[in-house]
Amino acid sequence: MTTPLNDPAWWQRGVIYQIYPRSFADESGDGIGDLEGIVRHLDHLAWLGVDALWTSPIFTSPMADFGYDVSNYTDIDPVFGTLETFDALIAAAHKRDIRVLLDWVPNHTSDRHPWFMASRGSRDNPYRDWYLWRDRPNNWRQAFRDAPAWTLDPRTGQYYLHHFLPQQPDLNWNNPAVRTAMHDVLRFWLDRGVDGFRADVVHLIGKDPALPDDPDDPVGSRVAWHYHPLTHEWLREIRAVLDSYPGDRMMVGEVNLSDNAQVASHAGPEQLHLAFDFTLTYAPWDARAFRESIAAVEDATSAAGSWPALVLSNHDVPRHRTRYGGDERRAMVAALILLTLRGTPFLYAGEELGLEDAKIPADRHVDPGGRDPQRAPIPWTSDPDHGWAGKPWLPWPPEPDTRNAVSQRRDTASIAALYRRLLRARHDDATLHGGSLELLDAPAGVLAYDRVGPAGRRRVLANFEDSPVEVVSEGSWRVSLATSRQREGEAFDGMLGGTAAVVLTPAD
Ligand code: NOJ
């Protein structure tokens, strides 16, 4: 069992909201979301009650991977705005007590970044060693397509490494000049007032200098994603940069490893503040699978002394409502679970509206990784343009006429209203945001756990099945939150409706 937090930091207590900027809100009229669009809708985030927003990359980019291929780390891509609009975004967010996190992409740059253009110029260019060049490639494979992770550059007759697209060459973090340059990028934005960063595939920055072949096991090697202990060393240096600034700046890392203990070992007082654990994004709609995922994260983070960072959806995986078969009640139950677990919840813009993935016709596919459906634009209003100044770059998700922010906010029984109640409760209740977690035995199809902390005990019961079920709980309890709003405030009679969840508080 874990111990309750005494004095949680904002990034432990809070809820963080991910914005995929191309798809959030368009003010300029080109059909691509922009920073002014984010500013315009900050009141939606304030209404919801989030503590911070994280935007996927907004730096200058040729957009081969929609911003995860950076050609200038210290400027804003014109499609999103300018440094001035960015300053205005920070000011407007801070005015509403919303912190701002940027997406920092440390493992690779764009092939159009001046560092790489110099590096590929000749074998003796001073930037040559900023990237990983070899006469003979090892057997590593790239993400997105089944092809080698190496491309031959005819100009110098050597291969360069890229874990992702050929347009995303990996930086060589074993070179101290690379580390200094990337720390300077952090300083540039910290000086500008950002509250922290999400670090893209940060587990990949530590690499064995020998770049040994993967074992002859394609599945295993793919899953291992090249963990190397040098990453911990580079993370300690990064942490020192963050800690040299006042005001609780933080970094959450994308540590895309399948072993929970390995993920958790990247976070703690000297490394990342948080490391995403993606276990829940793999869990099917099944109470036992959720229980096992939660137990795995609890065990790993308590052993490592780190704090969980939990996520159901993001721009890389199908939205959870879609994964669970499209039933909105399941999305509501999942929301109640995510927001009552121990750990910092990350929301993906649109999940509070119960959005499903869009159906993208073949002639409109644009992402090399096949992730367009979960990146569909956010419908803001019921008007034909749904609040977008231009025709969006991707098709709308299903039912935008009714499933949009204005309609959802108006309806007190909506999923958006449920998210808002959950966020408020989590914010106000020291047990919900800081308490320990105890998994309980429960009837088949039911997930049950207690949160225990300074404000007493809370009990969470979630029925994954479609038929009602009786759950016997000793003592008397009151329903303080429920996926069906009309139950809130009732004495708990032991009955849980089909595909429904409640949070209980002791009645006296
Ligand atoms: C992880 C990001 O979340 C994903 O969208 C991107 O394609 C890869 N890293 C490469 O940067």
Side-chain angles (χ1 to χ4, degrees), residues 319-370:
R319 286 185 176 275
H320 57 271
R321 180 169 168 198
T322 301
R323 296 202 306 271
Y324 304 149
D327 183 341
E328 188 182 30
R329 294 170 311 153
R330 292 182 174 181
M332 291 172 100
V333 171
L336 186 140
I337 295 169
L338 176 72
L339 288 158
T340 55
L341 283 174
R342 192 184 76 96
T344 304
F346 283 74
L347 309 182
Y348 179 48
E351 73 175 71
E352 79 279 19
L353 308 178
L355 293 188
E356 293 180 82
D357 284 357
K359 304 229 175 341
I360 314 282
D363 63 347
R364 293 196 62 187
H365 288 176
V366 285
D367 175 47

Side-chain angles (χ1 to χ4, degrees), residues 18-51:
Q18 180 193 355
I19 289 178
Y20 193 69
R22 290 181 80 80
S23 304
F24 194 66
D26 169 31
E27 284 293 291
S28 70
D30 63 358
I32 297 177
D34 44 47
L35 299 186
E36 295 211 359
I38 300 179
V39 172
R40 168 119 191 269
H41 291 288
L42 282 174
D43 285 336
H44 174 72
L45 273 60
W47 176 87
L48 200 58
V50 301
D51 299 85

Side-chain angles (χ1 to χ4, degrees), residues 40 84 86 89 108 114 169 173 200 272 337 339 358 366 372 415:
R40 168 119 191 269
E84 286 66 43
F86 180 72
L89 166 62
H108 43 266
W173 274 70
D200 187 62
L272 294 166
I337 295 169
L339 288 158
V366 285
D372 299 319
I415 187 167

Side-chain angles (χ1 to χ4, degrees), residues 65 68 108 144 164 198 200-201 254 315-316 371 375:
D65 188 12
Y68 286 98
H108 43 266
F144 305 148
F164 295 89
R198 177 261 189 189
D200 187 62
V201 285
E254 184 196 17
H315 62 296
D316 289 331
R371 298 160 294 182
R375 298 176 178 183

Side-chain angles (χ1 to χ4, degrees), residues 159-177:
Y159 295 82
Y160 65 90
L161 176 67
H162 50 91
H163 269 92
F164 295 89
L165 299 171
Q167 296 96 317
Q168 294 168 290
D170 280 40
L171 282 162
N172 176 16
W173 274 70
N174 290 326
N175 180 340

Side-chain angles (χ1 to χ4, degrees), residues 121-270:
S122 67
R123 289 192 184 206
D124 56 6
N125 187 285
Y127 284 92
R128 188 69 171 178
D129 189 44
W130 283 46
Y131 295 84
L132 293 147
W133 295 96
R134 294 290 183 273
D135 290 328
R136 282 221 321 264
N138 65 15
N139 68 355
W140 292 3
R141 313 290 293 174
Q142 59 176 285
F144 305 148
R145 54 174 100 120
D146 190 21
W150 296 85
T151 291
L152 176 66
D153 199 31
R155 192 162 356 171
T156 54
Q158 282 191 312
Y159 295 82
Y160 65 90
L161 176 67
H162 50 91
H163 269 92
F164 295 89
L165 299 171
Q167 296 96 317
Q168 294 168 290
D170 280 40
L171 282 162
N172 176 16
W173 274 70
N174 290 326
N175 180 340
V178 168
R179 303 205 295 277
T180 305
M182 291 306 284
H183 296 164
D184 285 347
V185 170
L186 295 177
R187 289 198 186 89
F188 177 88
W189 295 105
L190 290 165
D191 289 340
R192 249 187 143 89
V194 306
D195 301 286
F197 303 90
R198 177 261 189 189
D200 187 62
V201 285
V202 74
H203 59 290
L204 287 177
I205 63 178
K207 292 185 176 74
D208 185 335
L211 299 179
D213 271 342
D214 281 333
D216 209 8
D217 161 17
V219 176
S221 59
R222 192 75 178 211
V223 171
W225 273 107
H226 302 145
Y227 166 77
H228 192 272
L230 267 176
T231 298
H232 302 292
E233 215 169 295
W234 307 153
L235 287 177
R236 281 185 204 103
E237 292 181 1
I238 291 165
R239 180 62 178 256
V241 174
L242 292 163
D243 286 351
S244 70
Y245 282 78
D248 251 349
R249 317 291 176 107
M250 64 80 78
M251 183 175 281
V252 53
E254 184 196 17
V255 178
N256 220 337
L257 299 164
S258 51
D259 182 282
N260 302 90
Q262 228 169 37
V263 170
S265 74
H266 290 75
E270 294 184 350

